[in-house]
Amino acid sequence: MEERLVEEFIARRPDALGRAYEQYAPQLIAVARHAMGNAAAAEDCVHDALLRVWRTPGSFRPERGSLRAFLIACVRNEAMSTLRGSVRRDARERRAALLDPPEETTREPLDFLDAERVRAALARLPEEQRAAIVQAYFKNRSQSEIADHLGVPLGTIKSRISLGLRKLQLDLGEVRAT
Amino acid sequence: MSDMNDNIARAHVGENAELYALGLLEARERAAIDAHVAGCSTCLRRVGEAEETAAILAQSLPRYAVSPRLAERLARAANAPEQVRAGRPVVVHLPRRVHPAWFAGMAAVAAAIAITFSGYETFRERSSLQTEEVALATVARSHFFHQTLANAAPSDSLTAKVLYARDGAWFYVIVDEPPPALHVMETVGGVERDLGPPLTDGRVETLFVPNAGHPSQIELRSGSTPVASARLTYAP
């Protein structure tokens, strides 16, 4: 089914964008909501990210991987760009937001099994790599913010995140979320 | 920062693949990576693998209700006429008095790109970080090849040129005194696609296409009749 959707998405069939959204909506909305914090902003973020991809032919090729992972990354990048823009416009709001625990911490995850495996895989990482990835992905902090927060140089943060994610990749290699 | 973008564009993406997948890079850095992976299968695979891992991380995020309104918004936007022509999101004009002395033409292109890029820095609000600006930032930092399009018939006298990124990430077509109903075709991975008509500016028509996906051929057609074409070759 995904194979056909991918073909139609690449061929820019008129209904393929809406169908891609419907197919991956839970993940796309979750990624946007996690960064943006509220439903309306998350919806706009997913909308903008998907349209940006749609208007950029050739941005996705099957050799890259799955369409799902690609679109999730696009939404994540859209959300983080928006968040960073907001930070620049009003750093104080951003700091205040960081102090407030996100409301969704008690909600159920998209997938319990994958969530447990992710938790376990993160726990197996060296502490400095785990901390960097948690700050980057789950706390939505920028590289500079992480460097400040952890008190290490920016280049070190980049390396820790890269190494950590590659180790997670090996560890979670068998996990294939639906 | 610009040195970093240049390095990403020329060298392999390295650890930036993982930073990209986690949303940690700035728009210009991402654009440089997009340009690089368009012609580098090794880095494309590394970025794709990082994205797969990030997608697994996403499975641990909280679940929220899905909005059916968004599906409708996307369907409407995707079917809007101006978006169907998705192959030409950016068109850059040349000055009206373009002489087919192509180095002058290329200088004009470079000037247009430089002007646009200098403006880019002052428009970094989210609303302006559209594909167009990102693509132009990439172009401004690129090295490019150029080729004259060969006429389809000896009797044809069309003068056209294509400038294109060494990594195939963008191309720019310039046509002097074009025939009527001219449109541009590109061939990517053996698949031919109609990109529509260039933009007319006096006796010159131009078409700028970012994210071109390493086209192997550019062809101009007048209606359904091929009038000129060029096979694009790239550095090994």
Side-chain angles (χ1 to χ4, degrees), chain B residues 146-163:
Chain B
H146 57 94
Q147 261 194 62
T148 300
L149 275 72
N151 286 320
S155 56
D156 289 339
S157 57
L158 185 71
T159 308
K161 191 93 172 176
V162 58
L163 283 62

Side-chain angles (χ1 to χ4, degrees), chain A residues 46-154:
Chain A
V46 173
H47 176 269
D48 292 352
L50 295 193
L51 271 189
R52 193 187 300 277
V53 171
W54 189 252
R55 291 170 179 171
T56 312
S59 58
F60 175 74
R61 288 185 285 152
E63 309 91 276
R64 185 179 186 127
S66 69
L67 178 61
R68 170 180 157 277
F70 170 71
L71 293 179
I72 287 173
C74 290
V75 169
R76 171 75 182 171
N77 273 302
E78 185 79 27
M80 293 302 287
S81 287
T82 305
L83 207 55
R84 283 192 291 266
S86 301
V87 173
R88 285 167 191 144
R89 281 194 295 273
D90 194 336
R92 282 185 303 176
E93 271 186 21
R94 165 69 171 157
R95 282 197 294 273
L98 283 173
L99 293 174
D100 293 334
E103 56 162 320
E104 60 264 28
T105 49
T106 57
R107 299 179 71 98
E108 68 177 58
L110 280 168
D111 186 293
F112 279 108
L113 185 59
D114 281 348
E116 190 48 48
R117 286 178 173 173
V118 165
R119 238 188 315 274
L122 281 169
R124 285 190 286 272
L125 285 180
E127 169 57 25
E128 66 273 13
Q129 293 169 15
R130 187 192 66 77
I133 287 181
V134 166
Q135 292 293 321
Y137 193 78
F138 295 99
K139 301 285 186 186
N140 296 318
R141 284 192 158 117
S142 70
Q143 298 175 64
S144 310
E145 287 171 333
I146 299 168
D148 288 345
H149 181 73
L150 298 179
V152 293
L154 187 60

Side-chain angles (χ1 to χ4, degrees), chain A residues 6 12 15 17 23 28 40 43 45 47 66 78 88 94 101 138 144 147 161:
Chain A
V6 168
R12 295 296 191 273
D15 66 338
L17 182 63
Q23 179 84 8
L28 301 179
E43 199 172 300
C45 170
H47 176 269
S66 69
E78 185 79 27
R88 285 167 191 144
R94 165 69 171 157
F138 295 99
S144 310
I161 291 171

Side-chain angles (χ1 to χ4, degrees), chain B residues 139-181:
Chain B
V139 170
R141 295 166 189 276
S142 301
H143 296 287
F144 57 82
F145 296 126
H146 57 94
Q147 261 194 62
T148 300
L149 275 72
N151 286 320
S155 56
D156 289 339
S157 57
L158 185 71
T159 308
K161 191 93 172 176
V162 58
L163 283 62
Y164 59 99
R166 288 185 176 189
D167 58 10
W170 58 269
F171 68 86
Y172 187 84
V173 177
I174 310 162
V175 187
D176 195 36
E177 298 188 333

Side-chain angles (χ1 to χ4, degrees), chain B residues 192-212:
Chain B
E192 193 177 66
R193 191 173 57 200
D194 191 342
L195 301 178
L199 190 68
T200 301
D201 186 356
R203 66 188 184 96
V204 175
E205 290 192 355
T206 60
L207 178 69
F208 176 72
V209 178
N211 302 293

